[in-house]
Amino acid sequence: NYVGDDASKLGDVVTAFMNSSEIANREESAISRLYASVFGRLPDKEGYEYWSDALQTDTLSLQQIADFFVGSTEFVNRFGANPSSFELVNNMYINTLGRAPDVQGQMYWIDLLDRGILSVRDLLLNFTQSPEAIELMRPRVDTIYLHYKLLDRMPTALEFASSTDVYAMTSSLVSNSDYVGPNPDQPTSV
């Protein structure tokens, strides 16, 4: 997106920035979606940094990271040691897409799992990387990203629950005492 002369407010610039293809398709987004779908929570700062860095530096692939998530104690505590295909598919729909599965989709994914065509990791990535999940989870992902970049921390539960659009959130974040950037009211020289 182009930021034109009418972008007089910081919220205009940040909104255009967040909507740019470079930011909209950032790798950290996948990490935030994995945390939501697998653990049902916001990432902790250290985990977000660790997994994002591993992905960005090609130390680990997204598939390898998803394997770690699926093999974690937190996954077992949440889904059980040996969840059925039915349970896994239902949980993916609810945790990732926020809805119950449609019968045809449910049967499709269960069949792929039962026949060994997909692993649990593959199922997880098919859901979290789907266009539907990316669009649905974008406000969540943007909230995490902006808090991390502007405040050097994850949002609190209250901040997360009360986050609105990027424009409104930007004003709130730069007035926060944790804000780590330059004063948005002071012009900077280039």
Side-chain angles (χ1 to χ4, degrees):
N1 289 347
Y2 172 74
V3 179
D5 293 334
D6 61 335
S8 60
K9 299 198 185 296
L10 181 61
D12 294 328
V13 175
V14 173
T15 299
F17 177 72
M18 295 299 289
N19 288 329
S20 70
S21 61
E22 295 88 0
I23 295 302
N25 299 319
R26 65 194 178 277
E27 292 178 326
E28 301 99 317
S29 299
I31 302 301
S32 295
R33 288 190 299 272
L34 285 174
Y35 269 93
S37 296
V38 176
F39 302 144
R41 64 176 175 85
L42 294 168
D44 54 279
K45 182 181 179 219
E46 295 76 18
Y48 182 79
E49 289 174 335
Y50 176 81
W51 297 116
S52 295
D53 183 60
L55 190 58
Q56 290 170 346
T57 60
D58 292 325
T59 305
L60 294 171
S61 68
L62 186 56
Q63 291 77 10
Q64 290 169 312
I65 293 170
D67 280 334
F68 280 106
F69 275 62
V70 169
S72 70
T73 302
E74 195 169 351
F75 179 89
V76 172
N77 289 341
R78 191 153 192 243
F79 295 97
N82 193 20
S84 69
S85 296
F86 177 83
E87 292 168 318
L88 286 168
V89 169
N90 282 349
N91 282 316
M92 283 301 114
Y93 271 96
I94 292 165
N95 296 346
T96 309
L97 305 178
R99 64 178 174 85
D102 57 284
V103 175
Q104 185 178 5
Q106 180 185 45
M107 298 312 299
Y108 171 79
W109 294 111
I110 289 172
D111 179 59
L112 292 177
L113 282 171
D114 286 347
R115 291 192 298 142
I117 294 171
L118 288 183
S119 66
V120 175
R121 174 203 69 193
D122 296 332
L123 177 72
L124 172 63
L125 291 176
N126 271 282
F127 272 81
T128 61
Q129 298 301 104
S130 71
E132 183 179 359
I134 289 169
E135 184 63 29
L136 272 170
M137 296 176 109
R138 182 159 184 203
R140 171 187 199 99
V141 167
D142 287 350
T143 299
I144 292 166
Y145 183 77
L146 284 173
H147 276 79
Y148 178 71
K149 290 297 186 181
L150 296 176
L151 305 182
D152 194 34
R153 64 174 174 80
M154 293 294 114
T156 65
L158 180 60
E159 289 169 332
F160 184 75
S162 63
S163 64
T164 56
D165 63 34
V166 170
Y167 187 93
M169 194 182 343
T170 302
S171 297
S172 173
L173 293 176
V174 297
S175 64
N176 188 297
S177 62
D178 292 340
Y179 176 63
V180 294
N183 182 342
D185 297 322
Q186 299 292 323
T188 58
S189 59
V190 179

